[in-house]
Amino acid sequence: MDFTFKDEHIAFSDSIRKFLMVEAAPEWLREIWETETGRSRELRGKLAEQGLTALSVPEEFGGIGAGDLEWVLIHQELGYYAIPDSLIDTAYLATYLINRLPADVSLKKTWLPKIADGSARIAVGHPVNPMVADAQNADLILMWHDDEVHALTKDQVKLSFNPSIDMSRRLYKVSWTPSDATRICPARLGKQLWDGVLDRAALSGAAQLVGLAQRMLDLGIDYSATRKQFGKAIGSFQAVKHHLADVAVKVEFAKPVLYRAAYATEREQARRGVYVSHAKLAAGEAALLGARKSMQVHGAMGYTWETDLQMFMKRAWALDSAWGDRAFHKKRVAEFILSDGARLGPGETFA
């Protein structure tokens, strides 16, 4: 079995990295976050031109029709550059949900082409997250209710803003009343769809956390190469090297777990949820360690608004608890490991 990514996956990921390096500089992201909406039509338009909004949309609706394995590398890049939640919620999660609705639902024909061309923003509400990201900016809000899928517009809901430590996030409590008019999928099919949304959202969070861990490691390396003590760059001191090496090891150990989860998700394997939870935990550990160690390298400067490190730390802290906190994902892994007849060990990893 070949576990490497295809050349076209790597090439697309490389092109997105180069694009974000130019178009998503930290100073510009901060300017966007300080606006009322926290979002930029200009940036969304450029992301659409790169094909990101069309990535999951089927070709018949104007998209590319890519899967979870293509997305996992892109999620890493979006995490590295701290791109806000609304792109992933619309282009990955909402597209997955809408595309799997029964064929006679007109929502597909209405919204999938708009997602592909970047003209629509869609928010997704799931019970594992008490707040809905970007509900105020959404053209459509997809909500869970007793495993049913409901579609609402902003005039059908009441929104209450909830501040986040991560300034890139726009979180809202959504108050609404389910009805036959808003229901687009019954619970019988809806449960399967919502389980798929939860696993894909957690997988995306894990990939972004790996990207964030790498970004904070790079920031620590850059700072240690320029900051001097006793006439030498602090990066030349053994203790500082150990800090950064610990983070590098965590990142590299998290990657195969993440890619295994993406493989299982794309193929809808029975253990998909366990692998995704494992990936979320491993990626979260790497990101939290990256935040702590890079902070120690920066010293108190790392907390200040003037440095870029603080914005990546805050995003890592927020993402670690999004779409299931550590207790939630540890429980899912424990239930599998401690179950009767659980098949464990290296020989069972890809069974």
Side-chain angles (χ1 to χ4, degrees), residues 287-304:
L288 296 181
L289 184 69
R292 183 157 57 89
K293 296 293 188 181
S294 191
M295 181 56 161
Q296 290 175 330
V297 170
H298 278 74
M301 279 296 295
Y303 279 117
T304 62

Side-chain angles (χ1 to χ4, degrees), residues 206-249:
Q208 291 180 76
L209 285 166
V210 168
L212 282 163
Q214 185 64 54
R215 183 61 176 266
M216 290 184 284
L217 173 61
D218 291 348
L219 288 172
I221 292 171
D222 289 345
Y223 187 80
S224 70
T226 56
R227 179 77 167 89
K228 291 186 177 180
Q229 284 285 338
F230 311 111
K232 296 181 178 178
I234 61 173
S236 64
F237 300 139
Q238 196 73 1
V240 175
K241 290 180 180 178
H242 284 172
H243 275 322
L244 298 174
D246 289 344
V247 179
V249 170

Side-chain angles (χ1 to χ4, degrees), residues 21-81:
M21 188 182 302
V22 175
E23 302 292 345
E27 55 272 22
W28 193 43
L29 291 180
R30 292 190 203 193
E31 290 181 14
I32 295 172
W33 297 348
E34 290 175 350
T35 62
E36 182 177 352
T37 64
R39 301 293 175 256
S40 164
R41 288 183 179 274
E42 181 184 356
L43 179 58
R44 175 56 67 95
K46 291 180 178 178
L47 292 170
E49 290 173 2
Q50 296 297 313
L52 287 180
T53 55
L55 199 55
S56 286
V57 177
E59 293 182 13
E60 62 183 296
F61 296 108
I64 299 172
D68 302 292
L69 282 172
E70 286 92 338
W71 262 111
V72 73
L73 294 176
I74 302 303
H75 288 315
Q76 278 184 243
E77 300 303 330
L78 296 176
Y80 189 91
Y81 290 96

Side-chain angles (χ1 to χ4, degrees), residues 83-115:
I83 301 301
D85 303 313
S86 64
L87 172 66
I88 292 171
D89 286 359
T90 298
Y92 186 51
L93 303 183
T95 302
Y96 165 83
L97 194 55
I98 293 174
N99 191 39
R100 282 159 181 78
L101 291 171
D104 58 347
V105 175
S106 61
L107 220 65
K108 284 185 179 182
K109 296 178 181 177
T110 303
W111 289 100
L112 288 178
K114 293 182 179 179
I115 293 174

Side-chain angles (χ1 to χ4, degrees), residues 49 81 177 182 184 257-258 314 338:
E49 290 173 2
Y81 290 96
T177 303
T182 60
I184 58 173
V257 181
L258 171 66
K314 292 170 183 173
L338 302 178

